[in-house]
Each structure stands twice: as structure tokens, then as C-alpha cells.
Amino acid sequence: MFEGHGVNRQAAERRAASLGARRSVKKDHQAAWLINAVRCIDLTTLAGDDTADRVRRLCAKARQPLAPHIIQGLGIENLRLTTGAVCVYPTMVTHAAKALQGTGIPVASVATGFPAGLMPLNLRLEEIRYAVAEGADEIDIVITREHVLTANWQALYDEVAAMREACGPAHLKAILATGDLQTLRNVYSASMVAMQAGADFIKTSTGKEGVNATLPVSLVMVRALRDYLDATGHAIGFKPAGGMKSAKDALNWQFLMREEMGRDWLQPHLFRLGASSMLGDIERQLEHHVTGRYSSASRLALA
């Protein structure tokens, strides 16, 4: 399903460039797309100085991602808008789970030696079980890049399958760290193997690589999703992450999903945006839509 599948880099880059250059939404239509982006954000903190208080603040922002006057101005009080999930380190899961109890917002946790993933497999599997036991609903795992770079597809499959089993009832998001995979052909192959091994989502990056989510890479991964759906009838989700900071980024990645996969992939159960700073710009753009003025960044609550 993948070893003989070539990828034309120039064509992928040309197609990706057309998304932002030839598509534009304005006024109410743009506001609607940005509101949908909020629903799909995995609000994330993955810093070495994370604390329980920071996680609780992040969860408060996830419960109410837009300021009350923006909600009222948009007329979406009944929408009960929240972000798609909150993503933290395993040791912070218990704080997030308590803060989000009863909200329906999933708690996601990175695991498996994030971000490098260079730990013995038994320890990576134990980290998954720990996060799930703490209350994580979703696990973002990282693959061993060496398996891709050496085309050891059986080892990659076995690794992801073992992680899928360790997740139990939790959803598994497979981070491919595409900036480390060298070629778009490798990106396609790794995407396909991860899906075959049981991943519920495939994700571009950890956010810690030199190159994170890009539209050409995302296009290749989405085409793999589509091929897998055609072959199996099974829908897999997609999550770009890392390097996305602006409302324009949120629009472009949604345009990609709408055009390549259809409207079904604009729902949080099949599409997530791994970002935090992006929410600040989205909120600022929506406030401008409501008031006609741009506020300073300090006016709105931090994500």
C-alpha cells in the first residue's frame, strides 16, 4: 500500500501554495471558520517549567476560549464553545483531569519519551499506561524515526501496535516528526504504517523539531488518509502541530481538510490543531470582527 508510492515534491508544494493564495473568506464567513478552528484546537503546554497552576489556567481557557463580550457579539452563547482538548505532560494529567471534570473536554497527554522517543520500548509503554491511569483520554505517542529512515516497516508497525494496545480505551495519536523523515515518500509510508497499526490520528510534529507542520507535508499525510479510507472504509483523524501561530494558519489547514477530505474532517473527532498561541490571534481577529478594532495582546486572557 505504500512502498511503491511516489510523491512529487514540486506538485505537492504547488498545490499547498494555492490554498492560501487562491482561497479567501471574509467577514461573517471568516468568523465562522475561526470559531470552528477553536473547536478543533488541542490547547497545549509542554514546557519544562509547567506547574499545576499553569495547567489549571490553561484548562480555564479551554472551558471559555473567547472573552464573554466576543461570545455575545457573535451571538453564539448557546454554542457552549470549548477547545477540542487540553494536552499536557503525563505528570500534569491529574491536574488537567480535575480541572476539566464534567466539561466533556478530553485530556491529552504526550508519552513514549516525548519528544525524541529514544527510550526502551517497555518504558515507553509504561509511560502510556501511567498517563491513562492518571486520567488521559488521548495519548500522543512519538515513533522511532530510525525505523522510517532505515525502511524497517515491520519494526515500526510492531511498535505502534504495542502502543495502541497499551492505550486501552484512550485514543492514540501517532506523531511522525515529519521534519526528521527527510523525504515526502517516507512521510507517506510512515503515515500508512501507523494507520495500519491502529493509530486513531496521525500527527505531523512534536513542535520540537527544526521544521514542524507545513502544508506540503500535511497534504501528503492527508492523501495517505484518503487512500487508507478508500482501501479500508476506516476514517482516521489528522493533527498538524508545531509552528502554527496565526488565525491565517487555522484557515489554511481547514481549507486543506475541506478540499481534500470533505466537511466531515472539520469536526474535532477527526481534526485537531496542535497549538496554543494560535488561539490568541484567533480571539483577537474575532474581537476585531465584533468591535471593528484591534486590541492589544495584553487585553485578552493568555492561553
Side-chain angles (χ1 to χ4, degrees):
M1 291 179 69
F2 60 88
E3 284 187 318
H5 192 100
V7 180
N8 185 324
R9 177 179 288 275
Q10 289 183 334
E13 291 174 347
R14 188 165 58 248
R15 166 74 173 117
S18 73
L19 291 167
R22 297 170 57 189
R23 280 92 177 149
S24 180
V25 289
K26 301 295 184 183
K27 298 183 179 180
D28 287 348
H29 299 288
Q30 184 183 89
W33 281 89
L34 293 178
I35 291 167
N36 190 68
V38 172
R39 298 172 58 232
C40 297
I41 288 178
D42 278 8
L43 205 56
T44 303
T45 181
L46 296 171
D49 59 351
D50 281 345
T51 63
D53 284 343
R54 176 181 289 177
V55 169
R56 283 191 285 267
R57 187 192 73 197
L58 196 74
C59 292
K61 187 66 173 176
R63 294 195 304 269
Q64 185 177 307
L66 301 179
H69 71 279
I70 300 176
I71 294 287
Q72 293 168 7
L74 293 169
I76 57 172
E77 295 91 339
N78 295 331
L79 189 58
R80 296 183 180 179
L81 183 67
T82 68
T83 64
V86 169
C87 185
V88 295
Y89 276 117
T91 53
M92 296 290 135
V93 167
T94 183
H95 305 302
K98 290 177 181 177
L100 296 175
Q101 189 173 10
T103 65
I105 303 172
V107 177
S109 174
V110 296
T112 65
F114 179 93
L118 295 177
M119 289 171 52
L121 181 59
N122 65 314
L123 297 181
R124 286 181 283 161
L125 297 178
E126 190 56 38
E127 188 177 23
I128 292 173
R129 297 186 188 103
Y130 170 82
V132 173
E134 290 290 288
D137 306 294
E138 302 172 358
I139 302 294
D140 290 30
I141 63 101
V142 288
I143 65 168
T144 301
R145 284 68 131 180
E146 181 185 8
H147 295 332
V148 179
L149 298 176
T150 59
N152 192 347
W153 306 117
Q154 186 64 55
L156 178 61
Y157 177 93
D158 291 343
E159 174 182 272
V160 177
M163 293 174 180
R164 168 64 271 174
E165 183 178 2
C167 283
H171 283 192
L172 182 145
K173 303 195 200 88
I175 306 173
L176 304 184
T178 54
D180 294 339
L181 300 189
Q182 297 184 354
T183 69
L184 292 180
R185 184 189 290 261
N186 280 345
V187 170
Y188 183 93
S189 299
S191 299
M192 193 63 72
V193 173
M195 290 186 285
Q196 291 175 356
D200 298 293
F201 271 72
I202 52 174
K203 176 179 171 181
T204 59
S205 317
T206 65
K208 311 295 185 182
E209 292 89 55
V211 177
N212 294 292
T214 67
L215 281 169
V217 161
S218 297
L219 175 65
V220 171
M221 293 175 69
V222 167
R223 291 283 176 89
L225 283 176
R226 196 168 70 189
D227 291 346
Y228 188 79
L229 177 66
D230 290 342
T232 67
H234 190 54
I236 303 296
F238 176 63
K239 178 180 175 181
M244 299 181 299
K245 299 181 182 300
S246 69
K248 185 177 180 180
D249 291 331
L251 293 174
N252 285 339
W253 260 272
Q254 287 185 97
F255 295 161
L256 172 68
M257 301 309 293
R258 174 66 180 84
E259 295 191 12
E260 293 289 332
M261 301 299 294
R263 286 191 61 172
D264 287 347
W265 265 262
L266 291 174
Q267 304 293 328
H269 70 284
L270 287 173
F271 178 61
R272 299 285 180 81
L273 293 159
S276 287
S277 57
M278 175 189 286
L279 179 57
D281 192 47
I282 290 175
E283 189 173 16
R284 190 164 177 261
Q285 297 299 328
L286 289 173
E287 185 175 52
H288 177 267
H289 178 74
V290 170
T291 67
R293 300 183 301 274
Y294 281 114
S295 66
S296 66
S298 60
R299 172 179 167 81
L300 303 170
L302 292 173

